[in-house]
Amino acid sequence: MRVEVDLDKCTGHGICESIAEEVFEVGDDGIVVIGEVERPESDRERMQRAVTQCPAAALRIIG
């Protein structure tokens, strides 16, 4: 499974980072960086929570 961020939509709220700080990082410039886009299946529930709680709908799961 892959996690992607649409940087055109992302507003840098940091909710994703609060859900999974080892995966998402909001820089000082407000841009989200995903450390490892390939995530294990065991992480799906948490990644889905980050996707659904993103106020800008900037995250998505592929696969």
Side-chain angles (χ1 to χ4, degrees):
M1 148 185 75
R2 290 178 56 88
V3 179
E4 292 185 350
V5 61
D6 182 337
L7 295 176
D8 291 331
K9 291 181 179 179
C10 180
T11 53
H13 287 301
I15 294 171
C16 57
E17 185 177 37
S18 70
I19 293 170
E21 65 185 25
E22 77 285 358
V23 177
F24 304 100
E25 181 178 349
V26 179
D28 293 337
D29 55 4
I31 295 175
V32 171
V33 176
I34 300 176
E36 290 184 38
V37 295
E38 291 291 336
R39 304 301 306 161
E41 189 61 34
S42 60
D43 216 8
R44 182 174 291 274
E45 184 178 322
R46 192 165 59 130
M47 294 302 101
Q48 187 62 52
R49 196 168 2 122
V51 168
T52 53
Q53 291 188 21
C54 177
L59 299 174
R60 69 180 179 155
I61 295 173
I62 300 172

